[in-house]
Amino acid sequence: MKLICSPLCLSGGIIAKEPVSLEQEIQEPRGGGGEFDMSDILYFCRRGVESIVDDEVTKRFTAEELESWNLLTRSNYNLHHISARLTVLWGLGVLIRYGFLLPLRVTLAVTGVGLLVVLTSIVGWLPNSRMKKYLSEKVNLMCYRICVRALTAIITYHDSDNKPKNGGICVANHTSPIDVLILASDGCYSMVGQAHGGLMGFIQKTLVKACPHIWFERSEVKDRHLVAKRLSDHVADKTKLPILIFPEGTCINNTSVMMFKKGSFEIDCTIYPVAIKYDPRFGNAFWNSSKFRMVTYLLHMMSSWAVVCSVWYLPPMKREEGEDAVQFANRVKSAIARKGGLVDLLWDGGLKRSKVKEVFKEEQQKLYSKVLVIKTEGLLLAWGPMRSS
């Protein structure tokens, strides 16, 4: 058995890989033949080692590392105490962020949420009319903008002509729960999510009185047909606000876009893609839900310097003839990744909390068996003329 290096280069801890098919990589060390060859194991071993050295999935669920320290506790811990002058600047920053900015931001956040609950409750008592819809939109915009100010968010909106319209679905990449505030402060949306209890449940019930949001009970979320029907009924009514959905289903660390769930792309309506990209130099917008609770995360955000981000409204997209929901979802995802300068990944974000699905293993097994079948058929075709001669 001979060991042949594949097109893989380790340089400075970075793996540079050339796109090579499974068939090409297996053919080179085996040198032909349609049966199993022991050298075939090398391909799968190498792929396993690559995944361990440079795992492109799990590193999407940790805070984005910065090249230089931004005077926050995040980023490179080796750069915290370079000099006494820098340490003094960091200390002054802590006093400013926690002694002045944090109390001010918490006050604004409480004010925004309080006004949202009170005013939407009042609007909810009004009879359905154009006036109620107008007041509901104004109240939501005002309160969400107050909450955005609580984060000192500096947002740049691009291509506003492509903003989502009634009767459509807005899909965006997902980095943080504040993605909702970022988008809702520039336009009104109908939210989709699971019904909660406690304070969050109270806020949800209040919001739905003034605006047609869609909340699902825990038992209903698993019923795909029920979910699709309620979404279809909503977008069919052109008087209702566009639905805001994050198809990834989990937060990714502002570096990439992972697989979009196909559910929202099965509905026959216009999709309005939106790309959101945060500037990591001023604060870490990524929410690692397995490490921080919501309150802790919000306190981290309010004690950072600012939330700086860009939002791109992409041209509306519709499902093409002969295109299934998965292909449509991938096409929309690729457009968002290109516009936001994000890495386009095919992996399911659900791997954050679960094991790899059997379907991925079976896909590799099918590819390998296909290689063996093709090689065997080629040998038989070549062997036939030789036997006859």
Side-chain angles (χ1 to χ4, degrees), residues 9-138:
C9 177
L10 284 171
S11 176
I14 299 175
I15 295 183
K17 291 178 267 189
E18 297 179 8
V20 180
S21 67
L22 183 148
E23 183 178 1
Q24 290 174 318
E25 292 204 34
I26 286 181
Q27 279 180 347
E28 186 176 5
R30 67 161 38 220
E35 298 180 355
F36 168 77
D37 190 286
M38 188 64 70
S39 63
D40 295 349
I41 299 175
L42 295 176
Y43 168 79
F44 298 101
C45 290
R46 184 186 61 76
R47 291 296 297 271
V49 172
E50 283 182 17
S51 297
I52 294 172
V53 174
D54 186 27
D55 182 4
E56 67 178 5
V57 177
T58 55
K59 69 181 181 181
R60 309 299 174 180
F61 303 124
T62 57
E64 184 181 2
E65 192 71 21
L66 301 180
E67 295 181 0
S68 59
W69 186 32
N70 60 353
L71 296 180
L72 296 173
T73 54
R74 187 176 62 93
S75 72
N76 196 328
Y77 290 91
N78 297 323
L79 302 177
H80 280 196
H81 306 289
I82 296 177
S83 65
R85 182 182 301 176
L86 194 61
T87 302
V88 171
L89 288 175
W90 174 79
L92 290 175
V94 169
L95 291 176
I96 294 172
R97 289 188 289 111
Y98 286 90
F100 175 71
L101 294 179
L102 181 59
L104 177 62
R105 291 168 175 172
V106 170
T107 302
L108 283 173
V110 172
T111 302
V113 174
L115 285 174
L116 184 65
V117 171
V118 172
L119 295 179
T120 50
S121 298
I122 295 173
V123 173
W125 286 103
L126 299 176
N128 290 329
S129 61
R130 288 186 178 180
M131 178 59 69
K132 179 180 179 179
K133 181 181 178 182
Y134 173 80
L135 291 176
S136 175
E137 292 181 1
K138 292 300 180 184

Side-chain angles (χ1 to χ4, degrees), residues 326-362:
V326 175
Q327 293 171 333
F328 185 29
N330 288 333
R331 183 160 61 90
V332 173
K333 177 169 67 75
S334 297
I336 291 175
R338 284 195 303 270
K339 198 67 176 180
L342 304 166
V343 180
D344 186 2
L345 298 177
L346 296 175
W347 293 100
D348 184 359
L351 292 172
K352 180 179 183 179
R353 298 182 180 86
S354 61
K355 295 182 179 179
V356 177
K357 296 180 180 179
E358 290 296 326
V359 66
F360 290 112
K361 300 178 184 178
E362 293 173 359

Side-chain angles (χ1 to χ4, degrees), residues 287 291-303:
W287 180 36
K291 188 176 180 181
F292 300 109
R293 299 178 67 88
M294 174 66 78
V295 175
T296 305
Y297 165 76
L298 291 176
L299 288 177
H300 284 170
M301 292 299 298
M302 292 182 184
S303 60

Side-chain angles (χ1 to χ4, degrees), residues 67-244:
E67 295 181 0
S68 59
W69 186 32
N70 60 353
L71 296 180
L72 296 173
T73 54
R74 187 176 62 93
S75 72
N76 196 328
Y77 290 91
N78 297 323
L79 302 177
H80 280 196
H81 306 289
I82 296 177
S83 65
R85 182 182 301 176
L86 194 61
T87 302
V88 171
L89 288 175
W90 174 79
L92 290 175
V94 169
L95 291 176
I96 294 172
R97 289 188 289 111
Y98 286 90
F100 175 71
L101 294 179
L102 181 59
L104 177 62
R105 291 168 175 172
V106 170
T107 302
L108 283 173
V110 172
T111 302
V113 174
L115 285 174
L116 184 65
V117 171
V118 172
L119 295 179
T120 50
S121 298
I122 295 173
V123 173
W125 286 103
L126 299 176
N128 290 329
S129 61
R130 288 186 178 180
M131 178 59 69
K132 179 180 179 179
K133 181 181 178 182
Y134 173 80
L135 291 176
S136 175
E137 292 181 1
K138 292 300 180 184
V139 165
N140 278 277
L141 282 174
M142 179 186 71
C143 295
Y144 285 131
R145 286 171 179 174
I146 292 175
C147 292
V148 164
R149 298 296 184 275
L151 298 169
T152 314
I154 303 171
I155 313 167
T156 304
Y157 297 97
H158 304 272
D159 305 320
S160 295
D161 294 339
N162 298 324
K163 286 176 62 174
K165 297 178 175 58
N166 292 0
I169 296 179
C170 174
V171 298
N173 58 299
H174 199 24
T175 304
S176 159
I178 66 173
D179 293 338
V180 176
L181 297 178
I182 298 297
L183 294 177
S185 63
D186 191 46
C188 293
Y189 297 90
S190 290
M191 310 298 177
V192 177
Q194 181 176 307
H196 295 274
L199 178 60
M200 181 61 70
F202 173 72
I203 295 175
Q204 286 181 327
K205 292 176 181 177
T206 304
L207 291 176
V208 81
K209 291 179 181 178
C211 186
H213 301 291
I214 304 175
W215 310 124
F216 294 99
E217 297 297 335
R218 187 179 296 273
S219 58
E220 296 176 335
V221 173
K222 298 180 181 179
D223 190 341
R224 289 181 56 195
H225 298 289
L226 176 62
V227 173
K229 185 179 185 307
R230 290 187 62 181
L231 294 179
S232 298
D233 293 342
H234 183 100
V235 298
D237 188 347
K238 302 302 180 182
T239 63
K240 292 185 177 179
L241 297 172
I243 297 174
L244 176 59

